[in-house]
Amino acid sequence: MSEARTFDGRRGAVLVVEDEPLIRMEAVDFLEGEGFTVVEARSADDGLAVLRARADIRVLFTDIQVPGTLDGIALAWIAAREFGNIRLLVVSGRAAPGPGELPHGAVFLAKPYNASTVVGHVQDAIRPG
Amino acid sequence: MRSHLLEALFASATDYAILALDLAGHVTLWNEGARRIMGWTEAEMLGQPVHAIFTEEDRRDRVPEAELRAAAETEIGTDERWHVRRDGSRFWANGEMMPLRDGAGTHVGFMKILRDRTAQRLEAERQRADAGFLRSVLASSADCIKVLDLDARLVFMSEGGQRVMEVSDFNAIRGCPWPDFWSGQGNAEARAAVDAARAGGIGRFQGVADTMAGTRRDWDVQVTPILDADGRPERLLSVSRDVTAVRSAERALREAQGLNAAVLQSSRDCIVILDLEGNTRFVSPGGIEAMEVADVDAIIGLSWPRVWKGEDNAAAWSALAQAKEGGVGRFRGFCPTHRGTPKWWDVAISPLAGPDGRPDGLVSIARDVTEQHLVETELRETEERRRLAIEAADIGTWSFDVETLTPHWDERCKTLAGLPADAVVTYDVYMANIHPDDRERVRAVTLAALDPAGSGAYRAEYRVVGPIDHVERWIAAAGRARFEGGRAVSLAGTARDVTVRKKAEEQSLLLADELQHRVKNTLAMVQAIVRQTLRAAATPAEAQAAIDPRLQALGRAHTMLTVGGWEGSDLRTAATVALESHDDGSGRFRLSGPPAWLSAQAAMSLALVLNELATNAAKYGALSTAEGGVDLSWSVEPAPGTAGSAKLELVWREHGGPPVAEPLRRGFGSKLIERGLASAIGGTATLTFPRGGVVCRVQGTLTALNASKLAV
């Protein structure tokens, strides 16, 4: 289940993977509020389908604990392997993953996270339109 | 006349059977004696062959014919043999057979004369048998049996006697005076014994005499008279018995008794002599000391078993009974000394044999084992405590031989490891048993313990996997290395199953992690609610008014889900809880629908959505008037194609409120409905604003998991 909301899709999009509707909604809102194109998915499996279907995803913003066969970490690894130039933002309410558990360059953010920090990382990867 | 005389002679010779035969052996004459001895009458026998008087075997061997022939050739034949009477019985006959000749000397027949000598024959046989028996008795007796004449000269010595006296040729000593074989005191006693026997009495003495070969022996001698027909001593019988072995045994016994006395005097054991009833007769000096007895006389005569109390009393009586039966009774008992010193004793009671070999008393030997007993008891108790502790704690003990790399495990260790009790544990078995992820760690800890530079302490918690049951268990092992000459030689210690604790630890870690996740997630939701509210609110006051009921709705949903273990909720329950604060109890909400299980996330979303709908209805819709109400209805239908899944359709329909107009701006509520709830149940949500009342329609799927929950 994914749905794209494009304000300006020419410069790349952000994929938000989060199963909790309220939190996902808020993430989408504040990223869209900053002018980014945001695609949302409620599971890593759905997220992977989006990644493979769309070439414009520049940032993967994913929760670790999501339903389905993959979790957020697995999705991050697949994204790093298959789409090298993608910025990885991984969040969780649980303890931070140990060294080496995340792909090189991935950023971990603890829940509840600071929206401006997320925006900062996304801005690094995408220049908003 | 002459013939007449002969006839008379025939007739009167009744002790003799006289019969005449013709040349063919037929009877021609049969006298009265023949009838008496053999039973046939003359009339019966005349003309009959003489064979009738011969035994069957003689007839078979043709003895009658041989006898006739012998008589004819030699003029006279003796005849000593068994013959047969008319009644078939046999008699021993002593007789003669001679030829009869007429006046011209012509052989005309035979005459046979018989006497019945059966009684004499049997007597002779008996005497022969008696003499043979006597000879064999004399020969086999180990005694030296001698016959002396009245001058005490040797006349006869039995074969057995010659053996024991080591006589090679009796003739060399025949006629020698017997008392001269004895020297000193023995010679005088031998003479006295001969005198006594000669006087018709019995002479008896014990003495020492050498055999003919010079071997010194102890003898027990008896001399008795052999009486003639008139009852006067005719000869003397001397019977000497070799008692050397008996005397030496007696000497040994005397020496042993001397030794016994010495033992009795010097032994530190408490030696008590008892009568068969168990009364004290004697107490050894060592016993008096050991028992701290002040007055010995006071304990003589007392019943010894009564000294023992409680269980020991029964043991004492039983040991006493055993000794009376000829055995040895043993027991260990407690008996304080006369001064009250507590003491433990090892007691053995044995019988004392009387002259007839039957016990005529008992001896009790009690040894003070107090110190030993206390040590043993202490050891036993320590061992028992250790065993109990190990059993109670499920502790196995093990050791590890560093030299041979051989583990030694007790049964409990094997049980802990999931190995059968008879399993042979080698180093490889031990290593294979450890969970692969823990092996290196255990190896490292072991090596550290074996390091002579270290403390020798070994402590490890690791998982083992049973080779048969494949069950994973947590083992806590602790031990210590032993060093010899600067090298570790062994490692030994205990192991116990800490699976329960480990699982509990894992569980509580899991719970802590889950709680952390939930709290953080909830904070993220609060953050989202607050940010959404602030973004939509025109003023801080409006934002504040909106935030409180939203967080309260979140809180109630939280409580509901926590009660259910975060496994989700029945739709009706979730709806009831969400609408609780908006329900004034006047039946404004009508809920209808079948049981439908929602995941925790869907239930949470529904609760927040219903809160938004109810809040809006209270402000602008059906709940803002006294008459208005809400119908919340839902239906569940099997989803085509997806086994176990179900289609859920939920409808919020307001009625009785003021006329509705579509709002100009979509608020948090509608966004939550359209983007949140729809997503949570994987479906769509629409919010419409007909004039009669707001309608919210949600369609989605209850997953197989959630649908199956209802069946439970």
Side-chain angles (χ1 to χ4, degrees), chain B residues 376-393:
Chain B
E376 281 173 9
T377 307
E378 173 72 18
L379 266 179
R380 216 171 22 245
E381 284 172 0
T382 306
E383 172 61 24
E384 181 71 4
R385 269 198 301 275
R386 196 183 66 83
R387 197 179 59 73
L388 283 176
I390 284 174
E391 270 190 11

Side-chain angles (χ1 to χ4, degrees), chain A residues 5 19-26 28-30 40 42 65 93-95 111-113 115, chain B residues 513-514 516-517 520-521 524-525 527-529 531-532 535 601 605 668 671-672 675-676 679:
Chain A
R5 295 181 181 274
D19 64 322
E20 174 51 51
L22 191 59
I23 298 172
R24 184 174 70 244
M25 193 170 84
E26 168 57 19
V28 169
D29 279 1
F30 74 69
E40 58 185 294
R42 60 182 293 260
Q65 287 76 32
R94 295 212 158 108
K111 278 186 180 178
Y113 44 76
Chain B
D513 196 38
E514 183 61 28
Q516 155 121 325
H517 170 235
K520 298 289 180 62
N521 227 40
M525 286 175 75
Q527 186 184 35
I529 288 169
R531 290 178 64 95
Q532 289 282 329
R535 197 174 292 124
Q601 202 173 67
S605 294
F668 170 66
K671 274 171 70 182
L672 196 62
R675 291 168 55 188
S679 143

Side-chain angles (χ1 to χ4, degrees), chain B residues 483-502:
Chain B
F483 299 97
E484 267 174 25
R487 284 176 59 245
V489 292
S490 69
L491 186 60
T494 58
R496 66 200 159 90
D497 190 326
V498 291
T499 307
V500 172
R501 168 164 68 75
K502 278 291 181 179

Side-chain angles (χ1 to χ4, degrees), chain B residues 276-334:
Chain B
L276 288 176
E277 278 63 55
N279 298 313
T280 305
R281 290 239 196 91
F282 166 85
V283 181
S284 66
I288 290 166
E289 198 180 315
M291 279 301 289
E292 302 180 318
V293 177
D295 180 6
V296 182
D297 292 340
I299 60 171
I300 298 299
L302 292 183
S303 170
W304 172 85
R306 288 186 204 282
V307 166
W308 306 95
K309 308 297 180 199
E311 277 181 21
D312 297 340
N313 185 260
W317 281 112
S318 143
L320 190 80
Q322 220 171 325
K324 274 164 80 171
E325 292 295 316
V328 179
R330 297 179 194 277
F331 69 99
R332 178 177 284 195
F334 172 78

Side-chain angles (χ1 to χ4, degrees), chain B residues 138-405:
Chain B
L138 286 174
S140 62
S141 169
D143 291 345
C144 181
I145 301 167
K146 297 162 294 285
V147 178
L148 315 175
D149 63 18
L150 291 176
D151 294 328
R153 294 175 201 281
L154 273 173
V155 174
F156 166 86
M157 184 181 280
S158 64
E159 268 181 59
Q162 294 183 28
R163 254 195 326 272
V164 72
M165 273 302 287
E166 302 181 296
V167 174
S168 54
D169 177 13
F170 176 67
N171 289 322
I173 55 168
R174 186 195 297 272
C176 291
W178 170 72
D180 290 356
F181 288 99
W182 305 88
S183 54
Q185 175 74 13
N187 184 270
E189 295 210 46
R191 285 178 193 288
V194 166
D195 288 345
R198 222 162 17 203
I202 297 173
R204 184 164 188 177
F205 70 98
Q206 291 195 340
V208 177
D210 294 345
T211 67
M212 294 310 289
T215 312
R216 177 143 301 201
R217 292 203 171 276
D218 289 294
W219 304 95
D220 182 90
V221 187
Q222 192 165 317
V223 185
T224 50
I226 301 171
L227 303 178
D228 64 11
D230 300 327
R232 281 192 298 264
E234 184 185 38
R235 292 181 181 182
L236 304 175
L237 181 70
S238 156
V239 179
S240 309
R241 175 164 294 178
D242 181 355
V243 293
T244 311
V246 177
R247 297 301 288 271
S248 66
E250 284 172 0
R251 271 194 295 277
L253 189 64
R254 268 199 306 279
E255 284 163 12
Q257 280 166 346
L259 184 68
N260 283 347
V263 167
L264 222 53
Q265 290 300 317
S266 58
S267 173
R268 301 182 58 84
D269 292 340
C270 179
I271 301 172
V272 181
I273 310 281
L274 310 167
D275 63 21
L276 288 176
E277 278 63 55
N279 298 313
T280 305
R281 290 239 196 91
F282 166 85
V283 181
S284 66
I288 290 166
E289 198 180 315
M291 279 301 289
E292 302 180 318
V293 177
D295 180 6
V296 182
D297 292 340
I299 60 171
I300 298 299
L302 292 183
S303 170
W304 172 85
R306 288 186 204 282
V307 166
W308 306 95
K309 308 297 180 199
E311 277 181 21
D312 297 340
N313 185 260
W317 281 112
S318 143
L320 190 80
Q322 220 171 325
K324 274 164 80 171
E325 292 295 316
V328 179
R330 297 179 194 277
F331 69 99
R332 178 177 284 195
F334 172 78
C335 180
T337 67
H338 282 232
R339 266 201 249 140
T341 311
K343 282 196 175 182
W344 286 88
W345 306 88
D346 261 353
V347 186
I349 313 182
S350 352
L352 288 174
D356 60 354
R358 297 166 56 84
D360 72 345
L362 306 169
V363 59
S364 151
I365 302 178
R367 176 160 295 177
D368 180 355
V369 292
T370 307
E371 214 165 295
Q372 186 190 348
H373 182 82
L374 292 178
V375 170
E376 281 173 9
T377 307
E378 173 72 18
L379 266 179
R380 216 171 22 245
E381 284 172 0
T382 306
E383 172 61 24
E384 181 71 4
R385 269 198 301 275
R386 196 183 66 83
R387 197 179 59 73
L388 283 176
I390 284 174
E391 270 190 11
D394 253 343
I395 291 176
T397 56
W398 53 267
S399 65
F400 179 70
D401 188 325
V402 175
E403 200 67 42
T404 62
L405 291 181

